[in-house]
Amino acid sequence: MTHDHAQHAHGHDDHHHGSDLSPVEARVRALESLLTEKGYVDPAALDALVELYETKVGPHAGARVVARAWTDPAFRARLLADATPAIAELDIGGRGGEHMVVVENTPEIHNLVVCTLCSCYPWPVLGLPPVWYKAPPYRARAVIDPRGVLAEFGVTLPETTRITVWDSTAETRYMVLPMRPAETEGFSEEALAALVTRDSMIGTGLPRAIPVAPAEMPV
């Protein structure tokens, strides 16, 4: 459910017209209107749900957790020992995050998260799962050929790096603590969080590279 969908359905942005909607958005709008008319859906509840996923849960929440772990050794130790209460220290939690486990990437070990049975995913820290996470090819190949899957995501690891695959379930959801990029000493938590990607917390990606300032032009 997108923010635009909520705007169109609930009249928050009157300058949009039905002709501006894509076919999928038009179908969603018609379905929501029908459900609202029959009393099955409360528009206010939908607004609250959209706001929840736009402002409170999502990859930005997980990025805060990672950045805190990179800058606070005591928090990192608590996070790796018992992730759920450690994450709750940052006022992050809820459905899908009742039992969290955080696994740490190192030069020797790279962690990859999958749900082989369905699409169990740590919603409070990562938001809604990407389409590929729920797709059967990823769910199967992540276990059979994790190195090949990572290569398709653009992640090539040294042969000496062991890949460990973690299978999320309805009871236990996993999140990866990626390695802190080099040359980030002195970065604030906010600056570090901006380097953390959703995929790096699933294990299919790495944190963003540090922008390199262009060399000074000769006089």
Side-chain angles (χ1 to χ4, degrees):
M1 183 181 301
T2 66
H3 182 59
D4 285 342
H5 151 233
Q7 287 181 328
H8 294 159
H10 306 142
H12 298 323
D13 194 349
D14 292 333
H15 74 272
H16 286 287
H17 301 287
S19 59
D20 297 327
L21 299 177
S22 70
V24 172
E25 289 172 331
R27 287 197 296 271
V28 170
R29 180 178 183 181
L31 177 60
E32 183 181 335
S33 297
L34 178 62
L35 293 174
T36 300
E37 184 178 312
K38 290 183 176 296
Y40 296 133
V41 170
D42 179 1
L46 286 178
D47 282 344
L49 186 61
V50 170
E51 182 181 5
L52 172 68
Y53 280 96
E54 287 188 337
T55 63
K56 295 184 179 179
V57 304
H60 61 282
R64 287 177 52 213
V65 174
V66 171
R68 177 64 59 86
W70 283 346
T71 57
D72 185 338
F75 176 79
R76 172 181 164 276
R78 294 194 299 275
L79 182 69
L80 296 175
D82 193 355
T84 307
I87 292 172
E89 293 177 25
L90 301 184
D91 196 28
I92 299 171
R95 182 178 176 84
E98 296 89 347
H99 186 192
M100 290 288 304
V101 174
V102 172
V103 290
E104 182 179 28
N105 282 352
T106 69
E108 294 77 30
I109 298 175
H110 183 91
N111 297 284
L112 179 64
V113 179
V114 66
C115 177
T116 57
L117 292 179
C118 51
S119 58
C120 295
Y121 193 74
W123 291 13
V125 288
L126 295 185
L128 298 174
V131 173
W132 55 260
Y133 184 86
K134 300 180 287 184
Y138 174 77
R139 288 158 47 197
R141 292 190 55 229
V143 175
I144 298 171
D145 182 24
R147 196 173 293 273
V149 168
L150 289 176
E152 291 180 7
F153 278 92
V155 178
T156 303
L157 301 172
E159 289 297 328
T160 54
T161 300
R162 179 162 55 90
I163 300 173
T164 301
V165 179
W166 300 88
D167 194 356
S168 283
T169 67
E171 289 75 30
T172 303
R173 314 288 172 102
Y174 294 93
M175 186 183 88
V176 174
L177 174 60
M179 289 190 290
R180 178 172 176 168
E183 301 181 2
T184 56
E185 295 78 6
F187 277 40
S188 66
E189 279 191 30
E190 183 179 1
L192 287 171
L195 302 177
V196 182
T197 65
R198 177 201 63 195
D199 287 6
S200 72
M201 295 182 282
I202 299 174
T204 53
L206 301 174
R208 295 184 177 91
I210 307 301
V212 178
E216 291 186 4
M217 297 293 291
V219 177

